[in-house]
Every structure is written in structure tokens, then in C-alpha cells.
Amino acid sequence: QVHLLESGGGAVQTGVFLRLSCAASGRIASVIIISIGVMVWYRQAPGKQRELVAGITRGSNTNYADSVTGRFTISRDNAKNTVDLQMNSLKPEDTDVYYCNAESVTTWSGQFNIWGRGTQVTVSS
């Protein structure tokens, strides 16, 4: 019904920034997204548990992991069905695959919890 596409990852040096974007859309033209609930960015390093990085409600209430508070900013555009993650002052510890998650994605056919396939962020010292 719906898929998420992440973009904006890459390999950068410590201290610089990246901006990740995640766009939700119907897999075919007839699938219309009516609304999306909470949208969340997660990250996962090899051999480690997936970690919540930042989340944002439809009304733009936000929460952040302690490790990124003050450096990362999550935002969303409900009209475009997108969520972005501005990542400033990147550290090697931020190296992970970043995944976008959209909860309560509502279409005329139902409601879904959708995950993106991930985008790699690599930060070198």
C-alpha cells in the first residue's frame, strides 16, 4: 500500500552535517495517504540493537535520544508526507544505518506501520 524512501545519507567527516529525508507515498497512484501518525528515525549499527534517534507527532511534538539532543532536529511536512532529520556536529558514534518509520499510515484501505529500507551514514574522524 505505502512505502517509505530515505535519502540524504553519506560519508562525512566529524563535525559536519547531513540532512536525511524520508518520503511516504502510495505504491500505486490510486493509493492515497490520508494521514500519518508518529514518524520516527531509528538507527542501527552492526551487531547492535536498533535505537530510537528522534520522533515527531503529527502535531510536531518531538523527542530525542540523549545522545543527539542539541545536535539533531527532526521535522515533518504533513502536506508532503515527509520527515527530515537535520544532523549537525556529527560524530563517529553516529555511524549507523538510519531507518525511517511511519506509524498509523492511513489510507482508504486501512492503517499501516511502515518502515523504510535504511540509509547509511558514516562519520570518520
Side-chain angles (χ1 to χ4, degrees):
Q1 283 283 313
V2 178
H3 69 272
L4 301 179
L5 180 61
E6 302 103 331
S7 62
V12 298
Q13 297 289 327
T14 298
V16 300
F17 69 90
L18 284 172
R19 187 175 181 90
L20 306 183
S21 183
C22 171
S25 62
R27 292 189 178 274
I28 59 177
S30 61
V31 177
I32 304 299
I33 297 174
I34 299 170
S35 65
I36 301 175
V38 172
M39 302 186 80
V40 186
W41 283 99
Y42 292 84
R43 65 187 181 186
Q44 187 171 26
K48 294 186 177 181
Q49 199 72 24
R50 183 168 291 180
E51 173 191 17
L52 189 151
V53 178
I56 185 167
T57 69
R58 182 171 180 81
S60 294
N61 183 259
T62 61
N63 71 286
Y64 298 91
D66 290 342
S67 59
V68 307
T69 297
R71 298 189 298 122
F72 291 9
T73 302
I74 189 171
S75 60
R76 66 188 288 167
D77 186 330
N78 292 331
K80 297 180 179 179
N81 295 318
T82 60
V83 60
D84 289 358
L85 185 68
Q86 178 70 38
M87 304 186 295
N88 297 329
S89 301
L90 283 164
K91 306 174 181 179
E93 305 94 276
D94 297 318
T95 296
D96 279 309
V97 177
Y98 285 71
Y99 297 90
C100 178
N101 170 241
E103 301 177 5
S104 302
V105 181
T106 303
T107 72
W108 292 113
S109 298
Q111 191 171 85
F112 309 93
N113 187 328
I114 308 298
W115 287 86
R117 295 182 179 180
T119 184
Q120 177 71 49
V121 172
T122 302
V123 185
S124 58
S125 60

